[in-house]
Structures are given as C-alpha cells and as structure tokens.
Amino acid sequence: SSEVLEAIENVIQGVVQSLAQKKAPVLTLANRTDWRNIEFKDSVGLQMIPRSTIKQIRSDCPQSAKRFALVLKILSMIYKMVQSNTYATKRDMYYSDTLLFGSQSIVDQIINDISCMLKIPRRSLHILSTTKGFVAGNLSYTEEDGTRVNCTCSTTAVAVPSNVQGIKNLNSHAKFMLIVEKDATFQRLLDDDFFSKVSPCIMITGRGIPDLNTRLLVRKLWDSFKIPIFTLMDADPHGIEIMCVYKYGSVSMSFEAHHLTVPSIKWLGLLPSDLKRLNICKDALIPFTKQDENKLASIQKRPYIACQPLWKKELEILAATKLKAEIQVLTSLSSDYLSRVYLPNKLQFGGWL
C-alpha cells in the first residue's frame, strides 16, 4: 500500500510543480489501445513493450480537461481507500457521483488508465470489479474472510470470488479445467453432472467476454494445479475472440498480461472442422454478418495466429464457408450429445488444438 500511496503522491507532486511554474499540468501514460505498443510473446501472450508510444491528458485542452479532472478525482478516491484499507467496486465509484462521471464505462476506462500510468495492478488500487463468472466442479478454497467454499458438492455454480488474490488453501483432484463460453451451455453441463461423470474436473464460465476476476481465477488455478485447460466456444469469430482473451490476453489489458493469460490453453471445440465431420445439417448453421467477416479478418492478422497453423486452418474454413454455429447446434444430433458423446470422445482421443 505504501507503494500505491507513493505513486499517487508522485503524480500529484508533478501537477503541483507544473502549477507552481505557471504551466498547465499534463498526465502522461502509455497508449493502451495501440497495437504498435504490443508485442506477442509465446510464454505470456500480448504484452506492452517497455518503450511504448504515449498519450497525454492535458488540463489546458477543452477535449481533455474534464478527463484530467476525473483522473484526479478517482486518484483521490483510491488514495483514501488505500489509506483506510477499504475497498470499493467500480460500480460503487460510479454511483458516488453519477452526474460528474456521466457513465460507468468512463469510470472503467479511467481506472485502467490509472493502473497503467502507475504501473500497479488494479486489485492493488483497492478497486474490486463486480464478478459475472461462475465456477463449479472439483474445487474448494478459503476466501479472504475465512469462509470455506466447496464447489464440488453443489449442483449450482459458485460465483467467482470478487477478490481472487485473497483466496487460499485451494484444493482439487481435477484432471483438467473446462472454460465454457456461455452460461446456457455451462448450466446444461451442470445439469448433466458432467464434471463428475467423465473424470473430476473444474468448469468455469465468464458468461461471454470474461471479466477480470474470471481471468484471474483461471490463471490462479493454472498456477496452483498445472492441469490441462480446454475451451468450449461457439464456432464463430466471437467465440474465437473470447478464447484468445483467456489464452493470450487483450490489447487494452496488455500491461497486466503476466497475471491474466494462460498461453497453454487448448481449443477443444466447437471447431469449424467438427461441423463437417459430424455431418451437421447446413440448415442448422448461421450465415456470417458483415461484423463477423470483419472480426474474423482482424483475428487472422494477429501475431499469435502465425504460430498456430492448426488454428489458421480452422479460421480458413470459417472464412471459406461464411457459416457459423453455436455449441447448441449439437442438440440437433441428440439432446445430450455434448456431454454424452462429444466431450468424452474429444477428451479421450485428443481432439483439441
């Protein structure tokens, strides 16, 4: 905490010095969303390069003066929380002055900018993000307040903890982890008692694009157990994008890649090549939208696709057919095909990339 306080004090000192010299204060930070600032490293994923291009938030420019003020406002809130050892969610911060902030997304962006500017992980700033992910299966752990959580005996999933760094005494006999893109598929596997039928496993869903806590938990479980991690996504550009976030990280959070990515994650399904192999009826597939085409084209250009020749082939199948499929398409074969046939066969015979 002393490191956080000192980092904030240094920023404020810079502002005060500029004012003393009758200059307009300026905040400088790395440009988080610029691909030129990102390098791909096999063992980490997408990470920010040390000498990255910067952006400035000026106090004397009409376009950025308000943002400058909001950064200082949030810095003061963080400073107070760290001093008093209290925590708040991003939502709490927005609701402390909705008129001033204008929207939740502005608060979220500024918090990430501050984390990047101070070079301090977000959780060390005493800001918790609200969790939307769920975990189930062969896992138990102790939360920061001493509560023992057992995911094994529950037929309902447990919400991913809001302070993943604080959990300890993790225990599991799982043979693998399965990351499921969508909540509906996750619930279906839960109803089918999948995680105890095949072999003990841990199932996680971020319910779409994963939030920070879900990504932190996947990384923590990987660090703790070093078991294989598989992903179950829709066979479409959006599902592939989500899998890439778990595996290689995102451009906007590349400054925190070391805590968030697991490059050893495997793509289990639904593979575009599975659709032909399983004779899925064409009527059950969905035609691409323009947005799908653009997203696929952008994924194909990314640096990590070059080192994944098998992924490249799957993306080429999508590009050629311009047809996508949701995991639910497997119910056209039989209602429990996913948990009874598809997943057990894949896991047993190695049908992943």
Side-chain angles (χ1 to χ4, degrees):
S1 59
S2 59
E3 190 189 324
V4 181
L5 296 176
E6 191 183 332
I8 296 173
E9 285 161 9
N10 289 340
V11 171
I12 302 306
Q13 200 173 358
V15 170
V16 173
Q17 278 170 349
S18 296
L19 291 170
Q21 293 161 5
K22 297 199 164 32
K23 289 181 189 163
V26 172
L27 299 171
T28 305
L29 61 146
N31 194 345
R32 290 187 296 116
T33 52
D34 190 339
W35 271 96
R36 289 171 303 176
N37 288 340
I38 311 298
E39 64 177 356
F40 169 66
K41 200 173 166 195
D42 243 354
S43 59
V44 181
L46 300 175
Q47 61 176 9
M48 194 169 268
I49 57 175
R51 288 174 296 285
S52 48
T53 60
I54 55 167
K55 65 175 181 179
Q56 292 188 324
I57 305 173
R58 303 189 61 88
S59 59
D60 60 349
C61 167
Q63 284 83 15
S64 61
K66 183 178 181 186
R67 198 169 187 90
F68 180 91
L70 294 181
V71 171
L72 292 193
K73 166 73 175 168
I74 290 178
L75 276 172
S76 77
M77 293 167 83
I78 293 168
Y79 194 85
K80 281 178 193 152
M81 288 193 300
V82 175
Q83 263 189 328
S84 60
N85 197 25
T86 53
Y87 287 81
T89 63
K90 295 187 295 183
R91 207 162 172 70
D92 296 334
M93 296 179 89
Y94 167 60
Y95 279 109
S96 70
D97 200 331
T98 52
L99 279 176
L100 175 69
F101 292 122
S103 78
Q104 180 71 60
S105 65
I106 287 173
V107 174
D108 298 354
Q109 286 166 20
I110 288 175
I111 288 166
N112 285 341
D113 279 347
I114 287 172
S115 178
C116 183
M117 177 173 72
L118 302 179
K119 294 186 173 55
I120 288 169
R122 195 164 78 188
R123 58 206 159 278
S124 302
L125 303 176
H126 285 230
I127 297 166
L128 305 171
S129 44
T130 37
T131 295
K132 65 186 179 96
F134 286 120
V135 58
N138 196 296
L139 174 70
S140 60
Y141 55 85
T142 308
E143 289 205 323
E144 204 177 19
D145 63 1
T147 311
R148 189 74 186 155
V149 177
N150 190 349
C151 308
T152 313
C153 59
S154 168
T155 45
T156 55
V158 174
V160 167
S162 57
N163 188 357
V164 174
Q165 294 310 102
I167 68 172
K168 48 188 184 290
N169 305 328
L170 285 90
N171 189 21
S172 176
H173 302 296
K175 297 283 183 280
F176 65 91
M177 259 167 72
L178 184 66
I179 298 171
V180 183
E181 177 188 348
K182 283 185 179 152
D183 194 28
T185 310
F186 180 84
Q187 296 297 339
R188 179 69 212 239
L189 290 172
L190 213 55
D191 294 343
D192 290 348
D193 199 19
F194 171 76
F195 61 78
S196 57
K197 268 183 191 160
V198 179
S199 66
C201 75
I202 299 167
M203 293 198 316
I204 288 185
T205 180
R207 298 163 75 197
I209 295 167
D211 59 297
L212 193 70
N213 292 330
T214 306
R215 291 173 63 189
L216 282 168
L217 182 62
V218 169
R219 175 63 199 234
K220 187 161 188 131
L221 294 172
W222 161 247
D223 286 337
S224 303
F225 305 122
K226 291 285 190 285
I227 51 177
I229 304 179
F230 302 108
T231 58
L232 182 62
M233 306 281 152
D234 287 342
D236 68 6
H238 188 64
I240 294 163
E241 169 91 282
I242 289 170
M243 171 175 58
C244 292
V245 168
Y246 283 108
K247 186 175 171 77
Y248 294 126
S250 58
V251 174
S252 62
M253 293 298 285
S254 57
F255 64 96
E256 262 208 72
H258 288 268
H259 311 287
L260 293 171
T261 60
V262 185
S264 63
I265 283 173
K266 304 287 181 218
W267 185 5
L268 186 71
L270 187 64
L271 302 177
S273 59
D274 288 339
L275 304 174
K276 190 175 179 185
R277 184 176 62 81
L278 298 171
N279 286 324
I280 301 286
C281 170
K282 262 202 166 164
D283 295 346
L285 305 179
I286 307 159
F288 263 29
T289 62
K290 189 75 192 135
Q291 200 181 2
D292 290 326
E293 286 181 40
N294 294 342
K295 186 172 277 300
L296 181 60
S298 105
I299 293 170
Q300 285 177 305
K301 290 191 195 102
R302 291 189 193 163
Y304 43 72
I305 297 300
C307 67
Q308 292 278 6
L310 296 175
W311 282 32
K312 208 172 165 190
K313 276 187 186 158
E314 297 293 332
L315 299 184
E316 282 162 5
I317 293 171
L318 276 183
T321 60
K322 289 194 166 61
L323 292 170
K324 58 183 181 176
E326 298 185 330
I327 299 160
Q328 285 86 332
V329 80
L330 296 175
T331 55
S332 67
L333 301 172
S334 78
S335 63
D336 58 350
Y337 191 85
L338 176 67
S339 59
R340 185 176 53 82
V341 183
Y342 183 82
L343 288 175
N345 281 353
K346 283 248 169 179
L347 292 161
Q348 189 178 345
F349 301 115
W352 58 78
L353 308 179

